[in-house]
């Protein structure tokens, strides 16, 4: 009998401060209407000075544990997806482990930019299917506001902070049906964030802010996500009509709409959170998933397609019977 990874709990955290498009328009040459029309974003959350990827991850994780009524000590693997770790090391996974007060578990980070949570889901599913783990905590936690150049109107309008969590448990009942992840390192120049301390010539003087050629990223994201959707359906011998919900990475409403169109899904079947959150990178899919589970849109037994695209490029999907 196949051993599945079943979702037993979800959680999320969004910082308190709301930064609107109007607020950003006061410091860079842009406007609420330009940002909303091109991206679908109206505002984003910004973490406070005392918040970090680990502190936000802890809140999201504790919510997921409470939803599942799960004792943290039963967790045998913690994977944190983040591009904004508190420290280079220890990993944010280890910091989260410490915050949850758990011993005797494996904890590490995954760095796959905005696709991080999908990569984490894929890794977790391999551990559970193989019998190497029974209960896995996955968190995507990001402080994008700290790696955004607030004087660059092409990027600062897009990103926000937050954390999302999901708890998986080994089960005989269907859960994750398949995951599909891929990377192509050819596209470094289109979207990257330097690490000044480790930089070598000729990049020594670069600041640690996101740099992006948005228009080119946009086109490749739309095409690639269309392909991953086809691959996921084919692997499961499934028709588009069998998917109940699309939970996409929240980068741009026009990218999301293109994927929904490819699936012939109405936007009513798509979970969209970016209007008030922006792009929270690896956290976005898990935050959106949590929202739709908690407000009752996603019901037990329904089929949910999660997908994401990010720097690298990296991309992936997870098809889940919730
Ligand atoms: N306000 C006003 N004008 C802006 C602007 C802003 N915030 N940002 C860029 N512009 C200007 C540009 O300077 C350019 O001006 P020009 O024609 O005088 O040169 C013009 O708008 C068009 O720029 P372009 O980059 O072609 O716009 P776009 O329609 O592609 O929209 C993005 C820009 C960033 C919104 C869009 O490309 C995008 O969302 N890309 C995907 C990015 C993404 O999701 N990245 C993360 C992937 S995980």
């Amino acid at each position: 009998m196949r051993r599945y990874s079943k979702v037993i709990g979800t959680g999320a955290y969004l910082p308190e401060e709301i930064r609107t498009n109007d607020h950003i328009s006061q410091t860079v040459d842009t406007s609420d209407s330009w940002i909303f029309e091109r991206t679908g974003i109206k505002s984003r959350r910004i973490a406070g000075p005392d918040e970090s990827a680990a502190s936000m991850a802890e809140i999201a994780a504790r919510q997921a544990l409470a939803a599942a009524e799960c004792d943290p000590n039963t967790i045998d693997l913690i994977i944190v997806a983040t591009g904004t770790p508190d420290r280079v090391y220890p990993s944010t996974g280890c910091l989260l482990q410490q915050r949850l007060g758990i011993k005797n578990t494996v904890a590490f980070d995954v760095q796959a930019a905005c696709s991080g949570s999908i990569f984490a889901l894929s890794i977790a599913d391999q551990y559970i299917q193989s019998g190497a783990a029974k209960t896995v905590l996955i968190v995507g936690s990001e402080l994008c506001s700290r790696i955004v150049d607030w004087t660059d109107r092409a990027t600062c309008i897009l990103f926000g902070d937050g954390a999302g969590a999901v708890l998986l448990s080994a089960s005989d009942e269907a859960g994750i049906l398949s995951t599909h992840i891929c990377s192509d390192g050819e596209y470094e120049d289109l979207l990257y964030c330097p690490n000044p301390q480790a930089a070598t010539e000729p990049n020594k003087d670069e600041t640690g802010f996101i740099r992006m050629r948005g228009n080119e990223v946009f086109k490749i994201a739309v095409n690639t996500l269309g392909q991953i959707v086809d691959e996921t359906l084919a692997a499961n011998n499934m028709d588009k009509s069998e998917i109940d919900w699309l939970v996409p990475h929240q980068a741009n409403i026009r990218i999301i709409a293109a994927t929904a169109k490819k699936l012939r899904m109405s936007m009513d079947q798509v979970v969209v959170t970016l209007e008030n959150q922006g792009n929270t990178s690896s956290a976005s899919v898990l935050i959106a998933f949590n929202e739709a589970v908690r407000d009752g849109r996603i019901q037990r037994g329904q089929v949910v397609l999660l997908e994401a695209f990010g720097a690298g490029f990296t991309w992936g999907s997870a098809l889940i019977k919730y």
Side-chain angles (χ1 to χ4, degrees):
M1 189 187 283
R2 179 171 164 187
R3 196 175 140 110
Y4 286 98
S5 309
K6 186 100 193 147
V7 174
I8 57 166
T10 64
Y13 173 74
L14 291 167
E16 221 172 274
E17 185 190 332
I18 297 169
R19 191 165 295 175
T20 62
N21 292 346
D22 285 332
H23 180 111
I24 294 176
S25 313
Q26 289 167 16
T27 48
V28 290
D29 183 16
T30 188
S31 66
D32 175 45
S33 58
W34 193 97
I35 300 170
F36 186 62
E37 274 162 31
R38 301 281 177 126
T39 68
I41 299 166
K42 280 209 158 288
S43 65
R44 67 287 295 142
R45 300 298 189 97
I46 306 294
D50 56 343
E51 292 186 299
S52 73
S55 76
M56 297 195 302
E58 181 187 0
I59 301 171
R62 287 196 184 279
Q63 250 188 38
L65 285 160
E69 294 177 6
C70 178
D71 175 355
N73 292 298
T74 61
I75 295 171
D76 35 34
L77 173 61
I78 297 172
I79 310 177
V80 174
T82 185
T84 50
D86 293 32
R87 299 187 184 281
V88 172
Y89 46 78
S91 70
T92 311
C94 285
L95 301 182
L96 177 59
Q97 176 188 12
Q98 179 205 48
R99 282 169 174 269
L100 294 175
I102 322 171
K103 297 215 180 281
N104 300 321
T105 186
V106 180
F108 56 84
D109 289 0
V110 164
Q111 203 331 6
C114 297
S115 311
S117 291
I118 302 289
F119 276 54
L121 279 167
S122 186
I123 296 165
D125 190 39
Q126 313 307 316
Y127 266 82
I128 288 178
Q129 281 195 55
S130 72
K134 271 193 186 144
T135 308
V136 183
L137 173 64
I138 296 166
V139 185
S141 188
E142 299 280 7
L143 283 162
C144 298
S145 65
R146 306 235 176 112
I147 56 164
V148 153
D149 176 356
W150 288 98
T151 65
D152 175 17
R153 67 176 182 174
T155 52
C156 74
I157 57 164
L158 298 173
F159 296 95
D161 300 336
V166 67
L167 198 62
L168 298 175
S169 176
S171 171
D172 296 339
E173 264 180 52
I176 293 181
L177 301 175
S178 70
T179 61
H180 307 263
I181 56 173
C182 198
S183 314
D184 184 345
E186 283 296 310
Y187 294 98
E188 176 189 0
D189 289 348
L190 297 195
L191 177 54
Y192 66 99
C193 183
N195 179 8
Q197 276 178 290
T200 47
E201 296 295 355
N203 303 321
K204 265 206 157 326
D205 296 331
E206 278 186 319
T207 47
F209 296 130
I210 298 171
R211 295 288 168 224
M212 181 177 70
R213 303 215 308 253
N215 199 281
E216 288 159 80
V217 174
F218 185 97
K219 288 178 200 152
I220 298 171
V222 168
N223 285 333
T224 309
L225 289 169
Q227 285 162 20
I228 197 86
V229 163
D230 284 341
E231 185 186 328
T232 310
L233 289 169
N236 290 279
N237 203 14
M238 211 179 248
D239 184 72
K240 298 176 165 96
S241 60
E242 292 173 76
I243 298 178
D244 295 298
W245 292 101
L246 174 64
V247 183
H249 169 49
Q250 311 284 317
N252 183 310
I253 193 68
R254 294 182 293 138
I255 299 177
I256 294 174
T259 311
K261 192 171 166 201
K262 167 107 192 157
L263 284 163
R264 288 199 213 101
M265 287 177 103
S266 121
M267 286 304 280
D268 292 342
Q269 290 171 276
V270 183
V271 182
V272 180
T273 57
L274 95 162
E275 183 169 332
N276 298 312
Q277 294 172 18
N279 179 348
T280 56
S281 192
S282 71
S284 92
V285 170
L286 298 185
I287 294 173
F289 184 55
N290 172 67
E291 186 173 301
V293 164
R294 282 179 185 260
D295 68 20
R297 272 178 289 173
I298 295 178
Q299 295 283 321
R300 284 284 174 203
Q302 289 187 322
V303 177
V304 186
L305 177 61
L306 277 57
E307 48 86 338
F309 180 89
F313 290 134
T314 55
W315 61 95
S317 67
L319 192 69
I320 299 178
K321 187 159 188 175
Y322 180 68

